Amino acid sequence: MARNLHDVAIVGAYHTEQAKRLDVAEPALLLDAMRGGLASAGLTAAEVDGVNASTWVSGIHAREAVQWLGGHPCWTGTGSPGIEAVLEAASAIASGQCDTVLIAAAQSGEYQDHSATVSWTRPSNEFVECWGLYTAAEFALIAQRHMHVYGTKPEALAEVAAAIRSNGARNPEAVMFGREVTPEDVLASRMVATPFHLFDCCINSEGGASLVLTTSERARDLDADPVYLLGGGMDRQGMSYTAAPLFDLHGRVGERAGKRAFSQAGLTPAAVDVAEIYDPFSFEVIRQLEVMGFCGYGEGGDFVMDGRIRTGGELPVATNGGLLSYSHAGLAQMLQKVTNSVRQLRGELPDALTVPDAKVALATNGGAGALFCDALLLGKEPA
Amino acid sequence: MTIPLPRKTPVSAPHWEACQDGRLLVQRCTTCDQLVFIPRPGCTRCLTETLEWTESSGLGTVYSYTVVHRPQRPEFEAPYVVAIIALDEGWHMLTNLVDIAPDDVSIGLAVEVAFRVMSDEITLPYFRPRASA
Ligand SMILES: [Zn+2]
């Protein structure tokens, strides 16, 4: 019988330990992620017939991971860890190419030379590098234009950063656990690239994450609390960090991803209980709340105020502390937007961060400075 | 120690070589008139390979900018101003603003290209406030 996206469920979701420096080699970290995902799903390596596992620095990829899994998988994914990989794996399951996919990613041992910004933030393109750009500057060029066009205030950016960092401060698993930050602290922190202060910018750290996807039918037979795929989409507008990040061209990247995701789910943004928005910089959350349809264009700055995106608010955002406070580990943090959505719907987060009775979660990846933005909707109940 | 300089490619070489002569070149499609930057092998509107190099006035306005305080690497002297320029012909490019205090930069500021020789191979197109502005 033919399957579709709505016949796919996530049955495993796992984070390894995250830290500024883990002192764990990438292969061991990836194995930890793979074992953790399988344990969370109640599955063994022999029951996996699809895999997409990779590391950032050492370049381990899925075809090698097939052998780590004893040669059981017949399907390998090449999608970058994150929503891209989840949609690719879900499509493979929906089209009958495999039944159970393990997705895992890990990163450690990259950032050594602190006189420069982290390597993955530094573009090498001939029309970018010589002007001293890096990711913060790329995203700042979008933010500055939004602030110019709509009057978005630095206080709104500071509230986003403080709200998300406050979640991390209360998450024992977060790299910045215990580090409460107020909007005033954000505005007082040193300037990195206007309008971004230090606390508007994500941290860099090490860690891994994993997910296990299978058919909804199989999910019912497992000793795992399934979370269902409701919809997803991608919005890809070019190579990151090459051409100028023009707000007029790229300021609404993600809109097409959100529209497809909500259309497939038969839902509107009002149905979302928790939004695991990708937060490389505070402003990007404001922009993504607009493109995903939670408010109108230009209204994101007002939307985030008055506690609306804090835990206990109308739309809690980046509830584990996000990239700003929980972890930013190469590419694993993209996957972590999905794993944390699953853990919220399963009720696995600390009480202080749990969104009560959450039924629908939105996860996003990417941002305007990087010219891509993907969306994924997950539900406690099937579509 | 110098900042990292562009490593030109067969597609981009005419742009960089013209900079050495004090000319700012952009690709224009002779089939559909589209201006193309950064340099590409084909037109981004009609996909033909009928691109020719045309000289820009080098005049434009600041479309967006950021004052960078944490440098990409230590060879850059902070603070420096990264900007996107909207050229008068209707195309955009990344650059750094020079001859202006960071606090005096604003979106819409009228600017002009200001070439600086960086090496025997590379002259970079910086921008500065327009003399007539
Ligand atoms: Zn053309």
Side-chain angles (χ1 to χ4, degrees):
Chain A
M1 197 175 68
R3 303 170 186 155
N4 68 45
L5 188 72
H6 293 161
D7 299 318
V8 179
I10 299 177
V11 289
Y14 174 77
H15 298 171
T16 71
E17 185 188 347
Q18 313 284 316
K20 290 242 169 184
R21 299 295 158 264
L22 275 174
D23 202 25
V24 178
E26 275 191 338
L29 197 58
L30 187 63
L31 283 167
D32 176 0
M34 292 167 74
R35 284 191 306 265
L38 290 173
S40 166
L43 288 166
T44 65
E47 294 173 284
V48 169
D49 61 6
V51 64
N52 181 354
S54 62
T55 58
W56 173 274
V57 184
S58 48
I60 295 164
H61 60 87
R63 292 181 64 179
E64 183 172 352
V66 167
Q67 289 161 314
W68 289 18
L69 287 161
H72 296 291
C74 59
W75 179 89
T76 53
T78 56
S80 184
I83 291 169
E84 176 182 341
V86 172
L87 290 176
E88 180 192 35
S91 301
I93 294 169
S95 62
Q97 297 177 63
C98 56
D99 298 320
T100 302
V101 178
L102 171 63
I103 302 173
Q107 190 273 129
S108 69
E110 171 66 357
Y111 191 30
Q112 311 289 350
D113 173 15
H114 289 253
S115 68
T117 58
V118 192
S119 63
W120 63 75
T121 72
R122 274 182 274 133
S124 58
N125 180 274
E126 61 184 315
F127 292 96
V128 175
E129 186 180 35
C130 60
W131 306 122
L133 276 94
Y134 54 104
T135 49
E138 297 272 358
F139 279 79
L141 288 166
I142 293 277
Q144 292 269 88
R145 187 73 195 181
H146 189 280
M147 296 168 89
H148 173 76
V149 171
Y150 295 120
T152 313
K153 295 183 175 64
E155 290 75 15
L157 277 61
E159 167 59 16
V160 170
I164 294 173
R165 284 174 175 273
S166 176
N167 293 341
R170 291 174 290 147
N171 181 0
E173 297 177 352
V175 172
M176 302 301 272
F177 175 58
R179 304 275 293 276
E180 267 296 345
V181 168
T182 67
E184 294 72 33
D185 295 334
V186 178
L187 292 169
S189 62
R190 69 177 166 82
M191 192 61 87
V192 172
T194 57
F196 298 146
H197 298 262
L198 182 65
F199 290 169
D200 286 302
C201 305
C202 61
I203 57 173
N204 78 83
S205 49
E206 301 180 345
S210 60
L211 288 169
V212 178
L213 284 72
T214 192
T215 64
S216 305
E217 192 182 357
R218 181 87 209 279
R220 282 190 283 275
D221 298 333
L222 294 175
D223 183 24
D225 192 6
V227 163
Y228 298 91
L229 267 70
L230 304 182
M234 296 164 68
D235 195 346
R236 299 296 174 104
Q237 302 191 352
M239 291 286 291
S240 306
Y241 320 133
T242 55
L246 268 191
F247 182 75
D248 287 28
L249 271 182
H250 306 297
R252 295 187 177 184
V253 64
E255 187 184 72
R256 296 183 295 183
K259 282 197 166 136
R260 283 185 185 270
F262 281 110
S263 166
Q264 290 161 20
L267 296 174
T268 67
V272 175
D273 300 307
V274 55
E276 298 297 340
I277 303 272
Y278 200 71
D279 57 327
F281 302 95
S282 57
F283 167 76
E284 186 55 29
V285 172
I286 291 172
R287 197 197 65 81
Q288 289 193 25
L289 289 167
E290 294 177 0
V291 301
M292 294 297 155
F294 292 101
C295 59
Y297 283 106
E299 296 172 3
D302 288 338
F303 183 89
V304 300
M305 301 306 285
D306 305 319
R308 187 180 266 131
I309 64 165
R310 289 182 181 251
T311 46
E314 191 183 310
L315 184 69
V317 161
T319 56
N320 63 351
L323 282 56
L324 289 164
S325 178
Y326 170 73
S327 186
H328 181 304
L331 290 174
Q333 79 281 355
M334 299 232 192
L335 211 49
Q336 286 163 359
K337 288 296 175 186
V338 183
T339 58
N340 202 59
S341 299
V342 172
R343 295 181 73 195
Q344 269 290 4
L345 296 175
R346 283 178 158 187
E348 292 177 355
L349 262 73
D351 286 349
L353 301 173
T354 295
V355 178
D357 303 319
K359 296 204 164 36
V360 176
L362 171 71
T364 67
N365 281 173
L371 310 196
F372 81 97
C373 185
D374 303 335
L376 183 71
L377 281 165
L378 299 174
K380 201 163 173 53
E381 306 296 331
Chain B
M1 293 280 271
T2 176
I3 62 168
L5 293 176
R7 293 170 296 275
K8 51 190 166 188
T9 66
V11 173
S12 68
H15 170 87
W16 294 120
E17 283 157 15
C19 285
Q20 292 185 290
D21 301 331
R23 298 185 306 137
L24 188 65
L25 296 194
V26 61
Q27 288 174 306
R28 189 185 73 87
C29 177
T30 59
T31 303
C32 79
D33 245 12
Q34 173 85 355
L35 292 174
V36 175
F37 192 82
I38 58 179
R40 306 276 182 197
C43 174
T44 55
R45 182 192 283 156
C46 74
L47 217 59
T48 60
E49 293 165 55
T50 56
L51 295 176
E52 64 171 20
W53 291 96
T54 181
E55 186 168 352
S56 165
S57 64
L59 300 175
T61 57
V62 173
Y63 174 87
S64 190
Y65 72 98
T66 177
V67 181
V68 179
H69 294 263
R70 162 54 155 138
Q72 176 207 79
R73 49 183 98 211
E75 292 77 17
F76 287 91
E77 196 179 328
Y80 55 95
V81 183
V82 168
I84 300 172
I85 307 302
L87 277 301
D88 286 357
E89 298 87 15
W91 59 290
H92 296 79
M93 69 175 289
L94 283 166
T95 187
N96 286 170
L97 295 183
V98 294
D99 299 339
I100 186 168
D103 285 350
D104 294 337
V105 178
S106 61
I107 288 175
L109 180 75
V111 293
E112 63 186 14
V113 69
F115 291 101
R116 287 189 176 179
V117 177
M118 309 301 291
S119 73
D120 290 346
E121 291 273 297
I122 292 293
T123 294
L124 287 179
Y126 290 82
F127 279 74
R128 66 186 172 212
R130 229 181 275 185
S132 56

